[in-house]
Amino acid sequence: MVPRLAPRCPVRPFPWQVACSAGAFVRQSTCVGASRTPVWGRLHGVQGTTPLVRRGSSSTSSQAPGVALTCERYPVRRLPFSSVSEDDLATFERIIPGRVITDPEELAASNVDWLRTMRGCSKVLLKPRTSEEVSHILRYCHERNLAVNTQGGNTGLVGGSVPVFDEIILSTALMNQVISFHNVSGILVCQAGCILEELSRYVEERGFIMPLDLGAKGSCHIGGNLATNAGGLRFLRYGSLRGTVLGLEVVLADGTVLNCLTSLRKDNTGYDLKQLFIGSEGTLGVITAVSILCPPKPGAVNVAFLDAVGPAGEDHRGAEPGRLCVQVRPLPARGQALRPGD
Ligand SMILES: Cc1cc2nc3c(=O)[nH]c(=O)nc-3n(C[C@H](O)[C@H](O)[C@H](O)COP(=O)(O)OP(=O)(O)OC[C@H]3O[C@@H](n4cnc5c(N)ncnc54)[C@H](O)[C@@H]3O)c2cc1C
């Protein structure tokens, strides 16, 4: 099957040369949305443009000087996709009125990755708000043989968030609604474009924390976190997203909505399809909603300093290479400064 989503497999040197079978796991599913809670909590201050994204745009003119086009930098071949026509733009405008971006200045930031090492030349950025809109867009692109590149907060570090050629950029920036939160179990169900930091704030106000935290939290989306299987600062304590994510809703390349948005802690029914999409970097479908288990907020946080040098300057590193003996030193009492040797 011809892939309709731009293929990405970042562990490979030139991933765009690999044709992943985007529709391999297509199955008919119930159309989501009908059973959703009608009142979705809106997150405060959620914007499409956030500090890290602005980092890309502030220094990027429409031509993004200094960032070579990926297709000129690497020996890559454009697969035989169609190019976006005026008719296509008109159709997108009918599906998501006022959210079809073709202004080169606005597109510039979305064409360049966070590290400013990859640059595509997409001519159109689409900003759907709902899974149904994503489904309509992908169904149309599938029929028209148009390539699509999903983009969350555009903070990914392996170039997967930006097009290689002229793929349509499908941004989840406006899919930023909390669908439900259970105050006892800590199960959060939200759209994929919610910014991680905003979600953290939302659940912390309710006595919980997000099970992941990372430097890009002010910009990255929870959908992007899942698509990259992000780890981050809380990984050792709370484990991988493969354990904390309870369910997903995904729109496949042909527009089929795969509804696995369960919030069951223990779900033994059938295949665990969500695992396919965690870490898939957008190659298998667009993650549109997430159900995730949030741990209770700790009552206190202690900081331990780990040191390999003893109070008298002795070296506590082990004789064997790679072996390290560490001392855990207590923090000074409240109000007292940390002295050398403490
Ligand atoms: C300062 C900084 C610190 C970081 N720290 C860590 C860290 O501690 N641990 C770690 O693991 N990573 C870290 N990262 C990288 C991390 O993977 C990304 O920042 C983040 O997870 C990507 O989320 P995003 O929304 O920005 O996705 P994007 O960058 O927009 O996209 C990343 C990939 O996911 C795909 N994608 C995005 N959204 C969706 C979706 N809804 N459905 C399907 N596919 C989608 C894109 O196509 C792309 O392939 C860091 C990055 C930065 C800039």
Side-chain angles (χ1 to χ4, degrees), residues 8 52 114 149-157 160-161 172 192 213-216 219-233 281-283 285-288:
R8 309 279 180 181
L52 285 175
W114 192 83
N149 194 122
T150 313
Q151 188 172 88
N154 197 9
T155 67
L157 302 175
S161 53
T172 54
D213 186 19
L214 53 140
S219 293
C220 63
H221 298 181
I222 190 72
N225 297 147
L226 265 61
T228 56
N229 192 12
L233 303 172
E281 288 265 349
T283 55
V286 179
I287 300 168
T288 47

Side-chain angles (χ1 to χ4, degrees), residues 24 48 56 58 65 85 87 97 125 130-131 134 148 170 185 197 201 221 230 247 276 280 296 303 306-307:
S58 61
S85 67
D87 282 351
L125 166 68
T130 66
S131 315
V134 174
V148 176
L170 191 148
S185 65
E197 191 169 42
R201 204 169 295 145
H221 298 181
L276 286 173
S280 67
V303 179
L306 304 179
D307 196 351

